[in-house]
Amino acid sequence: MKGEDQARSLFGIPLTDRPKWQQFLICSSGFFFGYLVNGICEEYVYNRLQFSYGWYFTFVQGFVYLILIRLQGFTTKQMVNPWKTYVKLSAVLMGSHGLTKGSLAYLNYPAQIMFKSTKVLPVMIMGAFIPGLRRRYPFHEYISALLLVIGLILFTLADAQTSPNFSIIGIIMILGALVMDAFLGNFQEAIFTMNPETTQMEMLFCSTVVGIPFLVVPMILTGELVTAWNSCSQHPYVYGVLVFEAMATFIGQVSVLSLIAIFGAAATAMITTARKAVTLLLSYMIFTKPLTEQHGSGLLLIAMGIILKMLPDSKPAPWIPTSNVNARHHRETSSEEVESVELEDEEKKPLV
């Protein structure tokens, strides 16, 4: 049984019995809202207040998540997956986060943006190798993802003050982060697919509980724990901003997990990639920044990628003579039995 056959809802809004376009609209709206507010709060905290304590802020955010999840009524008795599954998930998540932050010491911001914008491509490629998924995408979806990636790179680098600066160590670190990001999305989809009873709240709760201890080590090693604590103690209103940001990001996170459960990791990666372009475009419209020809070219390629993604995959059914209908039915029945046995064997394989 596929993950989309499981009854799902998003903050009390039932999704299962709705048409796909309504499911997509509801989940995408929650995602865009959550991360739009997140972007505004990050702009205020990181740029206006000059507080760049990523590990500590994620640590605080994790405790806000746990409180919100408890208010949603989730308890550990509702878990359907073993804790070791989420240990693997959190280890990959923290590894990706650490490599991304570490790469900034070797790559400037434009170079990092170029690499992170390509996330959707490794997600699609890795989906073919994850047990329980083994996804195959039509050729036009790869072209769609490529157009989206190139368009986003053109748009984000249109007004960069410096050219991308590359370093071998930085490239290795950011590529490692991309591989982990690709594995993370597909791993989450595999959990939803192979165990459809998994809820979004379980996924977020367990990942947060296991992930919080992982954050302590880098905070102590970098000295960020003491520095961030002292800075925030002098400006306690920062905690109010962080809590508000965490509440909005919580909505975005649950919406993302809903998208993964219903539409898959690759489709979700395309949506999150497109979100970056929408956020940048809104900032240009709100702050009346001038748009250049490169901005226009980037937006055009992004639009082409999205339209290509929306094309149906259906092919016209081949004409079969009436005399061959019974024979075809017999072959299809046998094929379905074989596929059923193969699927059972596939689901028995470990995810990692």
Side-chain angles (χ1 to χ4, degrees), residues 134-187:
R134 307 293 187 190
R135 286 195 176 277
R136 297 291 187 273
Y137 298 97
F139 181 72
H140 79 270
E141 290 202 16
Y142 286 101
I143 300 299
S144 169
L146 189 61
L147 289 172
L148 192 64
V149 166
I150 296 174
L152 183 60
I153 291 174
L154 284 176
F155 189 89
T156 53
L157 298 184
D159 59 344
Q161 300 297 319
T162 58
S163 300
N165 180 31
F166 301 103
S167 164
I168 296 299
I169 297 177
I171 290 173
I172 293 174
M173 293 180 73
I174 198 68
L175 287 178
L178 281 173
V179 171
M180 288 187 173
D181 280 343
F183 177 80
L184 182 68
N186 283 296
F187 190 26

Side-chain angles (χ1 to χ4, degrees), residues 42 46 81 128 152 160 228 337:
E42 283 190 349
Y46 284 92
N81 294 297
L152 183 60
E337 292 174 353

Side-chain angles (χ1 to χ4, degrees), residues 55 58 66 82-98 180-181 183-185 187-188 191 202-215 218 352:
W55 294 110
T58 306
L66 295 180
W83 280 104
K84 64 180 182 181
T85 299
Y86 296 106
V87 171
K88 298 171 185 175
L89 195 67
S90 297
V92 174
L93 179 61
M94 291 302 106
S96 170
H97 189 63
M180 288 187 173
D181 280 343
F183 177 80
L184 182 68
F187 190 26
Q188 289 173 324
I191 293 172
E202 175 186 335
M203 181 81 71
L204 187 56
F205 173 81
C206 296
S207 301
T208 304
V209 168
V210 177
I212 285 177
F214 281 101
L215 294 170
V352 179

Side-chain angles (χ1 to χ4, degrees), residues 9-42:
S9 62
L10 181 63
F11 300 113
I13 303 173
L15 299 174
T16 306
D17 298 329
R18 297 177 181 271
K20 285 292 184 183
W21 69 270
Q22 288 188 13
Q23 295 177 349
F24 178 82
L25 184 63
I26 293 171
C27 295
S28 298
S29 298
F31 165 71
F32 273 90
F33 168 78
Y35 280 93
L36 182 61
V37 175
N38 169 264
I40 294 172
C41 292
E42 283 190 349

Side-chain angles (χ1 to χ4, degrees), residues 40 117 127 134 150 180 185-186 257 269 280 286 310-311 333 335:
I40 294 172
S117 298
R134 307 293 187 190
I150 296 174
M180 288 187 173
N186 283 296
L257 292 174
L280 287 169
I286 293 172
M310 296 170 64
L311 292 179
T333 303
S335 175

